[in-house]
Amino acid sequence: MSLIGKGILKGMGVTAKNFFQSYYRKERLPTVEYPEEKATINQFSRNFPFLLYDGDDPVDGMRCTACTLCERACPPQCIYIIKDKDENGKAILSPRIFDIDTSVCMSCQLCVEVCPYEAIRMDSAFELSNENRFEGLLLNREELLKPNAYYHEIHPLEARETDDRMAAKAALAEAKKKARQKRARLAAKNKPPPGLKKTPPTRKKPPQREKSE
Amino acid sequence: MNNYFDLKLVELGRWIEAFFAHYPTLKLVVHLLLCTLPLALSFMGAFAFTTWLERKGLARIQNRPGPNRVGLFGLLQPIADGIKMLLKEDIVPERSDKLFHFLAPIMLMIPAMIGVGFLPLGDGLHALPLDSAIIFFFAISSLNTIAVFMAGWSSRNKYSLLGGMRAVAQMISYEIPLVLSAVAVIMMAGSLNAQEVVASQQISSWVGSGNILQEFFGRILGWNVFKPWGFAGFIFFFIAALAEANRSPFDLPEADSEIIAGHLTEYSGFKYAILFMGEYISAFAIAGIGVTLFLGGWNGPVFAGLPWFVLKLFSLFAVMIWIRGTLPRLRVDQLMGYAWKFLFPLAILNIFLAGFYHFLERQWGTAIAMLAGWLFGFGALQLAAIALSRLNQSPTIRSKRVYQLVE
Amino acid sequence: MIVAFYLLALIAVLGAGLAITLRNVVHAVFSVLLFFSALAGLFLLLLAEFIAAVQVLVYIGSVGILMLFAIMLTTNVVGDPNRPVQSRGWVWGGLAVVALLAGVLLPIISRTGGQSPTPLSDFNPSVKQLGLVLMDPYFASLGVIALLLTAGLIGAVVAATGASEADQAKTVPENRPRFPNN
């Protein structure tokens, strides 16, 4: 035989415990009073992309080569890139304009996945409210560029990984270069008659940019 | 010290009235204003405070701090809300019944305010000291239903109408156990007069005997909750009162996860505020009559009168908030079944229990009546409750359920 | 007192008049409720508190809501606007009212000479007195009424349960149509 209403009393006991313990136990009141204090952001949190640069000067140390892979990968098409040109009209491997419209961005991180130069990464800054909802949320190259140190600060684990990967790549490239030089030196020593050996030129695929434009 | 505040307040009233002694008509007007205006204003203030209390209490139950920006501890939040409500646009649906849409908030406020007037707030603090105050209170509080229906029907919105229908069905059903549980008290007090009901809840031989202990406990132990029939009656009354006031877990008429806000759906701005206030004040009125009938009214040791009444009223409201933070909402069929198949028979049984207690008390004295009442009477109620809950269980499904679309 | 009486009487007549002339049924019901509440006010003026309370409780709280409940389930509350409001029956209605006035009200007024038999200041009925009267001289009739109402209640319950079982037997056949197995 059970007392009628026992379950209700039990439930009320639970809520009473929550009520009273919220006054003296920290885990019963986990709310962070936002503008005065801020919760520590998890290093795996992400919202909008930013551009990385090495060294001190943002524009010189920019990792981005304006390959527009991210522009093509972006599902809501919020990235806009125009390649830079030198005085002779020849293309330089860096963007003159790199805009990201954060009001359109859906934080999918696909741009980060496709980038072969580790130049674009996800930011975790969240206080992005702005008085102008059109231009204010459209971030340009200067606003997007942030140093590698900042990346280390917000995503330490990921940044270390990226650095290691870049170092490995650089080492590999160095080794390849050395090997090629060595081979060239060897070839020069053996002195084959010029024009005797025909090496077929490595076929390059035509760039697929035309299709997207 | 007893009744000190009440006496002072009555004295203050007399003092103000004395200024108009030479103008009999003006004096009457001032008298009426003194009877009604402080009551209305203080209950509106109590409403404002209660919205804060409710938000804070619910927040703490859900492990959040609640409103804490406007003023100290967010105490000025109700004022900010009021200003916001006043400044909002008042939207009236195109095809609504404009007159009734406008009248419904007023119609809700009127019975709520009249109902509050029937409460004996203290010794001599009684706005409408009618001889049949308690039955009048129940009569007036049944008018809430009409206002809710008005609001629901005139909005010409299906959710509003559903809310209105639910409200009418629920309020009619729960009025019966509400009144029946009050009947036991009226029977024992032998009066429909609210002041006499309050007076019956002190042990008259102890109060005024001069003995400090007897003085102290004579004003507590006489409360009806401490009697077996009163305790059971209080529980039935409280459950029915929750339903009458549309409070959780019986807040089906404005179930926001099902029908948006029920009869409040098409209201905005100040009309919404008035409707909201009307609901709170009628909840206050029902809690107040609960205090009067079962919790000894303004009886209490040391500061008998208004302070005790206010304390009890707010404690009862705090329990309502606590219940709101705990229990999930009932289903419609559960709600009606609960009123008719469970509360109603138990409340009738409780009336017989009260009669039994009264007989025993007369025959053999209070001590034996208490003992027998708690042992047998309460046991009988428990047994009846268990039997009813067994009876009301929906028949078990004997055949194995077959899911035809599976496999 | 006099002003209050005439005000309430005016509201009562207005409510009754609106109830039979308004097109919208819901509005008509609310004007009936207005009439009932004015009547309750008149009872209060006569110091008949208990009757006033019962008037509010029974007529406004129960009868009115019953009417509203019935109307809530109808779709067309306004009705056919082309039909005239007054039907031919108004002649008979008017005649009945005149007959009532002449046959019942006028003799009473003439017998008392337009004055209350007991001055209101001496006449102060309490609920207690009413209860005593009901319980002593009129106990038999009260008991009969109570028995009748209880019988009605039980009859309603029996009728309701019987109907639902019959409905269930009718609507739920033994072999339910099955979903096609594909």
Side-chain angles (χ1 to χ4, degrees), chain B residues 72-138:
Chain B
L72 192 68
F73 301 118
L75 265 170
L76 297 179
Q77 185 69 41
I79 296 172
D81 284 345
I83 293 169
K84 184 194 80 174
M85 288 286 188
L86 262 172
L87 297 178
K88 269 192 164 184
E89 187 190 354
D90 176 34
I91 300 165
V92 182
E94 177 75 30
R95 294 187 64 208
S96 69
D97 195 313
K98 305 253 169 12
L99 177 70
F100 279 22
H101 194 264
F102 171 73
L103 279 180
I106 303 169
M107 274 290 293
L108 192 66
M109 270 306 271
I110 291 171
M113 276 296 172
I114 297 177
V116 161
F118 287 117
L119 302 176
L121 303 179
D123 197 3
L125 300 176
H126 198 178
L128 296 165
L130 290 179
D131 202 27
S132 49
I134 287 171
I135 196 164
F136 234 109
F137 175 86
F138 288 120

Side-chain angles (χ1 to χ4, degrees), chain C residues 84-111:
Chain C
V85 176
Q86 283 101 342
S87 68
R88 203 98 57 79
W90 74 272
V91 181
W92 298 108
L95 278 178
V97 168
V98 170
L100 261 177
L101 265 179
V104 181
L105 225 52
L106 279 180
I108 293 172
I109 293 170
S110 63
R111 201 192 300 165

Side-chain angles (χ1 to χ4, degrees), chain B residues 97 100 131-132 143 149 172, chain C residues 27 30 49 60 65 72 126:
Chain B
D97 195 313
F100 279 22
D131 202 27
S132 49
L143 297 186
F149 169 79
I172 290 177
Chain C
H27 289 183
F30 273 100
E49 282 170 21
I60 304 178
I65 285 171
M72 194 151 51
S126 72

Side-chain angles (χ1 to χ4, degrees), chain B residues 22 71 75-76 220 275 318 357:
Chain B
H22 299 293
L75 265 170
L76 297 179
I220 292 183
L275 268 177
Y357 177 88

